[in-house]
Structure formats: C-alpha cells, structure tokens
Amino acid sequence: MPDALAIATIIIYVVLIQPVLYCLWKHGRHGILGWLCLQVFCLLRIAGNAVLLNAKATNASNNNALLINNIGLSPLLIATLGFLHEARRARSPSLGRKLEWALVIQYHAAVSVALVLIIIGVINLEDRTTSTTTYALLKAAAAILIVCWAALVFWTRVSMRAQGKDLNTPGYAAGTKLLYGVIAALPLIGLRLIYAIASLLLEVNGSSSDFTTSLAARVCMSVVPEMIVTLVFVVAGIRTRNMHKTVEGRTEHHRDGGAGVLLDERRG
C-alpha cells in the first residue's frame, strides 16, 4: 500500500473516531457493545497503517501490520452484532434478555476463537514456519468468520419482522433506523471478509498473484468498504443518539405501571 493511502487512512479514521466516541457517550450502556467495539476497530486501523508506514521506512517485515489489519475484522463483526442487539431491544420491549445475551456471548466466543487462530497463523508466517497446520488453522478461522457473518445476516433478517404490539413502542422508530444501518453495512462487511480470507490464504501459500499485490483490489474490497461501513454506523448512531432515553423511559413507565396495578390490587 503506498504511503499516501496509509496516511490518508490514518487521517480519515482519526476524524471518524470522534463521532464514534460521541455516539458511545450518547447511546450509553445500551449501546456500549457496538460503539466500544467500533472505536476499537478505528484504533486498530490507525495502528495498523502506522505500523505499515514504519515497516516501509525501516525495510522491516510487514507481518505485524498484516496481523493488525486482519484482526480488525473481529471488532467490526462484534460491533455490528452490538448495533443489532441495541436495535432489537429498542424495537421489541418483550425481547427475552437472558436468551439474547446468551446468543451475544456465544457469538463473541466464536469470533474470539477465529481471532486466536488468525493470530497463531500470522505468527507462524512471521517465523517462516508455513505448513499445512498453519494453512488448516487459517482455513478454520475463515470458516468460523463466514459462519459468523452468515449468522448476522440471518439474525438481521429475523429482526426485520415486527409484531403488531411492538409497532407503537417509543423506541421502535429509532431502533428501525439503526437496524437499517446494519442492513446497509452487512454486504460491505461480507465483501471485506472475502478479501481478507483470500489475501491471507494466498499469503500463506506464498502466492504472488495480481490479487494480493493489486492496489485497486485492496482499495475497492478492503479500504473503502470499511470506511463506508464506519460512516454508515456513525450516521445511524447520530440519528438515533437519543434512543436510550425512550428505552429507559419505557422501562420506567412499565415499572410505574406495574407498581400502580399492585397498589390498586392491595387497596381493593
């Protein structure tokens, strides 16, 4: 990647991380999973390109940059899951919290396993110990990430279904806006995932194909999609910045209503 592109990427993510931090503050505890992971993703992109610039300046190996850039997909997937979870909670007050969080934790664990396998594979590349084992580890990580992305697509599709009783809830409109952001981002994340898997497996095989060295392929399938995804989430986050107030207000309303019913029953 030319120095100019790496520098431009650093500048863009330094700018993007500011509204991400704002959204983290505005969305509060309900959106902490998504916005915190998106902030981590932005920091990894800044760090990865900084390491790449340093490697080119010192003629050192760029495997550290390869590692940072590939593990950046993990927080992006978890961030997308966090936004989906936040949207589902806002749209459906009857959502089972225990089951929802159990699924979130399982998803997080699956992505973490893929992350560990990628780290081991890239470290083996650094040590020049490429083997069938390294290739098998990276193929397993790729399979897990594909399944995780497909699970997000399925989960999002299921979340689009609205029950009649949820249509009038205070947070439904804001949750739907955030859900649309997830829908818009998923195809771009899938494109980025395909590029990451293909380039990493070709790197393990020692391939010098045009695909791994093409600047156009990297820009169109990696750099630009990630920036668009981040921007889509930022726009959706700013548009739904007060969503947590409606959710918290709805919760307090249910609590007050329940207390009132109980008081009436005791008086009766």
Side-chain angles (χ1 to χ4, degrees):
M1 180 185 296
D3 293 348
L5 182 57
I7 293 171
T9 302
I10 292 174
I11 294 173
I12 290 172
Y13 279 105
V14 167
V15 173
L16 285 174
I17 203 172
Q18 310 306 319
V20 171
L21 183 60
Y22 170 76
C23 289
L24 175 62
W25 172 58
K26 292 295 291 183
H27 283 251
R29 61 186 178 87
H30 296 290
I32 189 170
L33 177 62
W35 296 109
L36 186 60
C37 287
L38 188 61
Q39 190 174 25
V40 170
F41 169 75
C42 292
L43 289 172
L44 285 173
R45 285 297 168 261
I46 294 170
N49 284 279
V51 170
L52 183 58
L53 287 173
N54 179 70
K56 294 188 70 173
T58 58
N59 293 322
S61 171
N62 65 346
N63 281 336
N64 289 331
L66 179 67
L67 173 61
I68 295 175
N69 284 327
N70 278 286
I71 66 176
L73 275 174
S74 298
L76 186 59
L77 283 170
I78 297 175
T80 307
L81 172 67
F83 299 138
L84 179 60
H85 173 66
E86 186 182 4
R88 283 169 59 84
R89 284 197 59 190
R91 282 165 53 93
S92 179
S94 59
L95 193 66
R97 292 188 177 183
K98 291 183 179 180
L99 176 60
E100 188 78 5
W101 275 109
L103 294 174
V104 168
I105 292 171
Q106 289 179 4
Y107 190 93
H108 196 291
V111 174
S112 298
V113 169
L115 175 62
V116 170
L117 295 178
I118 291 174
I119 291 174
I120 294 174
V122 175
I123 290 176
N124 288 341
L125 283 176
E126 179 71 22
D127 295 337
R128 306 297 181 185
T129 57
T130 56
S131 63
T132 55
T133 302
T134 302
Y135 190 68
L137 288 175
L138 292 177
K139 285 179 66 176
I144 293 173
L145 290 177
I146 291 173
V147 170
C148 288
W149 177 82
L152 267 181
V153 173
F154 175 76
W155 206 347
T156 303
R157 180 67 184 87
V158 171
S159 303
M160 292 172 62
R161 301 174 183 174
Q163 298 182 3
K165 62 181 180 179
D166 296 333
L167 295 176
N168 296 323
T169 57
Y172 184 86
T176 301
K177 292 178 183 178
L178 190 57
L179 182 60
Y180 284 157
V182 173
I183 294 171
L186 280 174
L188 295 171
I189 295 175
L191 178 64
R192 174 62 180 94
L193 182 61
I194 291 171
Y195 177 81
I197 293 172
S199 59
L200 193 57
L201 293 180
L202 288 173
E203 184 78 19
V204 173
N205 287 332
S207 173
S208 58
S209 66
D210 293 337
F211 182 78
T212 57
T213 58
S214 172
L215 177 62
R218 181 167 295 183
V219 171
C220 296
M221 299 183 68
S222 174
V223 178
V224 172
E226 287 182 344
M227 291 178 180
I228 295 176
V229 167
T230 306
L231 184 60
V232 166
F233 285 146
V234 165
V235 172
I238 292 175
R239 293 186 64 193
T240 59
R241 61 189 179 276
N242 296 318
M243 182 169 65
H244 73 285
K245 295 181 180 179
T246 60
V247 174
E248 290 175 354
R250 182 181 66 200
T251 303
E252 292 298 326
H253 174 74
H254 286 316
R255 288 176 181 173
D256 294 343
V261 170
L262 181 60
L263 184 61
D264 290 341
E265 289 178 352
R266 288 179 176 177
R267 287 176 178 176

